[in-house]
Amino acid sequence: MQSQSMEELAYQRIKENILNLTYRPGSTLSESALAEELNMSRLPVRVALKQLVAEGLVQNDYYKKNRVKPVTRRDVVEIYQLRDFLETEAFRRIFAENRQEEYSYRLEEKIVRMCAKRHDNVAWEEADTKMHQEIVTIYDNHRIEKIYQDNLCELIRIGLLSEKGYDHIAHTNERLKQMVELMRQNEYNAAYAILKEDHLILGRELALKKITE
């Protein structure tokens, strides 16, 4: 039990440091250095790294050297294409099924969390991904939700690499509040415009400005 507990702790700490960019994309992850940093033996670190390789957050090369998976421009383009495809249709369905008022409250709960985390970029990005994940629940399709879930870690890293400032975050929060009100007024076009322009288009553009590889 102690070994499993240490493995889980190693996994959580390493993953957290990958997502918050303490371990930058492309950086090398040495088992011995991580074990010393986490104050544990190399075995739980090795197990944790294998799990993160399976999840796609860590890569190992021909020489068995582990490194944090880089984030490329192609990653940004592909992930935002996926988001556009899933969220555009999901948002349309919310209105087509006359559930816009229900979802306005469901999204508002997530937006309140985003506002509460406005001074913490990592926590804000995590809250933002939860808000977007809520939108695609309209499909009630576990496979679609899994596809989206599988990309949430990359979305958080892309968001942080975009280096959004406090003013941008505050503006985004206010625009989302407007989106919620427009949903309650049954204003699909205006509500969707905020989602499309602020999150799907601008988010992609900000990321591509910072990620040049």
Side-chain angles (χ1 to χ4, degrees):
M1 291 297 292
Q2 182 65 24
S3 176
Q4 290 179 345
S5 175
M6 294 300 288
E7 290 165 7
E8 182 63 21
L9 176 61
Y11 166 80
Q12 290 174 352
R13 291 281 301 279
I14 296 169
K15 184 173 183 178
E16 178 183 340
N17 284 339
I18 291 173
L19 294 184
N20 66 24
L21 305 185
T22 297
Y23 305 151
R24 302 285 297 184
S27 61
T28 300
L29 297 176
S30 160
E31 283 186 13
S32 57
L34 287 170
E36 183 176 355
E37 177 185 341
L38 300 176
N39 194 28
M40 59 180 64
S41 70
R42 292 177 61 170
L43 179 58
V45 170
R46 186 176 304 131
V47 172
L49 288 172
K50 286 182 179 179
Q51 186 173 347
L52 290 164
V53 168
E55 292 179 10
L57 283 173
V58 173
Q59 298 174 331
N60 49 35
D61 58 22
Y62 178 79
Y63 299 101
K64 302 298 183 182
K65 183 180 291 184
N66 293 299
R67 67 171 186 156
V68 179
K69 179 185 177 296
V71 178
T72 67
R73 291 177 65 85
R74 180 167 182 170
D75 290 329
V76 174
V77 171
E78 289 183 350
I79 286 175
Y80 271 90
Q81 282 180 339
L82 177 65
R83 287 187 61 187
D84 197 349
F85 177 78
L86 290 176
E87 293 182 36
T88 294
E89 174 60 16
F91 207 75
R92 186 198 67 79
R93 286 193 182 199
I94 288 171
F95 281 79
E97 296 178 13
N98 198 30
R99 297 177 65 184
Q100 59 269 25
E101 183 172 3
E102 171 199 340
Y103 267 83
S104 75
Y105 287 103
R106 292 171 65 162
L107 294 176
E108 185 175 51
E109 179 187 355
K110 307 299 182 184
I111 295 163
V112 167
R113 294 179 184 275
M114 291 172 66
C115 291
K117 302 297 184 181
R118 62 189 180 278
H119 296 292
D120 182 336
N121 282 28
V122 176
W124 186 85
E125 290 290 349
E126 291 175 349
D128 181 49
T129 60
K130 296 294 184 182
M131 188 275 295
H132 288 283
Q133 190 176 12
E134 189 67 33
I135 293 172
V136 300
T137 61
I138 188 68
Y139 290 114
D140 193 24
N141 184 313
H142 294 307
R143 286 178 172 82
I144 288 176
E145 291 178 23
K146 185 178 186 303
I147 289 171
Y148 203 88
Q149 181 68 38
D150 288 346
N151 287 281
L152 287 183
C153 290
E154 289 299 83
L155 278 170
I156 292 170
R157 292 205 299 159
I158 287 171
L160 290 172
L161 288 167
S162 300
E163 298 180 354
K164 300 182 181 78
Y166 175 76
D167 289 343
H168 175 88
I169 288 174
H171 176 74
T172 299
N173 290 344
E174 290 304 312
R175 289 274 284 172
L176 286 171
K177 292 177 186 177
Q178 294 173 22
M179 184 184 78
V180 164
E181 290 303 318
L182 289 166
M183 292 175 73
R184 290 172 186 159
Q185 297 165 22
N186 197 27
E187 294 285 349
Y188 166 75
N189 289 331
Y192 173 67
I194 291 175
L195 177 70
K196 179 78 172 181
E197 294 166 11
D198 289 24
H199 293 263
L200 301 179
I201 295 176
L202 183 58
R204 178 179 179 273
E205 290 177 352
L206 286 173
L208 289 175
K209 283 181 181 178
K210 296 292 183 179
I211 298 169
T212 58
E213 183 179 345

